[in-house]
Amino acid sequence: GGHNEYQHQDRFKPQVYVTMSYFQDGWMGSHDFKFGYDWKNDRRKEGRFQPLNIHYRDINTPQGVQVVNELDIYNGPNEGITDVEYQAGYINDTWKVNNRVTLNLGGRVERYRDGWPEQEFTPQMPAALAGTTDPRILAFYAPRTVDETTVAEHTVFSPRAGFAYDLTGDGKTSLKGYYGRFYFNSSDILATREN
């Protein structure tokens, strides 16, 4: 018989990245500034279907005969569409204080919006149920409209700070340290699971 987890996934991910650099000498050392803006929309179309919208689960009897034990019915096919819109802006300064000390300072602001657009689908009733008047079954196979929904929306700030110190002054041995905050990218999780 058929497998009970058929699916097909299409992914569309338009992206825009804009960066700019600016160098300035003479401000208590030299500064190499970098600025940027990122935008992307991660859209997934996940088609789910079960051939004939029915799946039989068999068991073996003590006599070794397979019989139907459970029956799954599906109201497919359907195609869940999820969107994650991502925007970020950042600034970074590589500050060469002198020949031995370099600081790397910066920050990034990120904004995520997870959700989906309005969607519609019409389930296909299995032939075995055709002609039924049971209101539960008729409701299960009625055309559906799913309203546009925002599942989560959040804005976060990620600071970055690092240093490099040339211990001997000859560029061969240095001490380095770094601190950064990084956030989880929700694009594969929140909206898809909710939808």
Side-chain angles (χ1 to χ4, degrees):
H3 191 272
N4 65 334
E5 292 189 18
Y6 289 88
Q7 64 173 320
H8 173 78
Q9 184 181 105
D10 290 322
R11 194 167 185 183
F12 306 92
K13 198 172 183 179
Q15 304 171 51
V16 174
Y17 298 100
V18 179
T19 60
M20 184 176 78
S21 297
Y22 177 75
F23 180 80
Q24 177 65 50
D25 203 1
W27 290 355
M28 297 175 58
S30 66
H31 295 264
D32 187 3
F33 294 102
K34 291 189 176 154
F35 309 89
Y37 172 77
D38 302 345
W39 174 89
K40 65 184 166 192
N41 189 67
D42 190 356
R43 172 167 277 192
R44 292 170 178 246
K45 291 183 177 182
E46 297 188 83
R48 295 173 186 88
F49 60 96
Q50 170 66 32
L52 306 177
N53 271 339
I54 199 161
H55 178 74
Y56 298 96
R57 297 180 183 271
D58 300 335
I59 61 167
N60 287 323
T61 64
Q63 297 79 23
V65 177
Q66 278 196 340
V67 295
V68 174
N69 181 51
E70 292 180 355
L71 179 68
D72 297 338
I73 59 172
Y74 294 80
N75 66 344
N78 64 63
E79 183 177 65
I81 299 172
T82 57
D83 285 323
V84 177
E85 184 180 41
Y86 167 81
Q87 295 184 66
Y90 64 89
I91 183 171
N92 189 75
D93 179 16
T94 301
W95 177 14
K96 190 170 175 92
V97 179
N98 55 44
N99 288 337
R100 297 182 78 167
V101 177
T102 301
L103 301 177
N104 196 312
L105 307 170
R108 182 180 189 90
V109 175
E110 297 177 307
R111 182 182 178 279
Y112 291 90
R113 190 184 73 71
D114 304 59
W116 55 78
E118 181 177 293
Q119 302 166 68
E120 295 179 357
F121 71 99
T122 302
Q124 297 172 354
M125 185 181 294
L129 298 175
T132 185
T133 58
D134 186 322
R136 297 169 300 170
I137 294 174
L138 294 174
F140 190 64
Y141 290 103
R144 304 290 169 99
T145 298
V146 179
D147 291 333
E148 179 178 350
T149 301
T150 296
V151 176
E153 197 167 3
H154 56 280
T155 302
V156 294
F157 174 70
S158 304
R160 313 275 202 265
F163 74 91
Y165 179 70
D166 185 348
L167 292 171
T168 58
D170 59 7
K172 293 184 178 180
T173 306
S174 63
L175 176 66
K176 296 180 181 181
Y178 178 79
Y179 167 81
R181 177 80 191 250
F182 299 86
Y183 286 89
F184 172 69
N185 179 348
S186 61
S187 67
D188 295 348
I189 304 295
L190 293 176
T192 301
R193 287 190 178 170
E194 268 309 299
N195 199 5

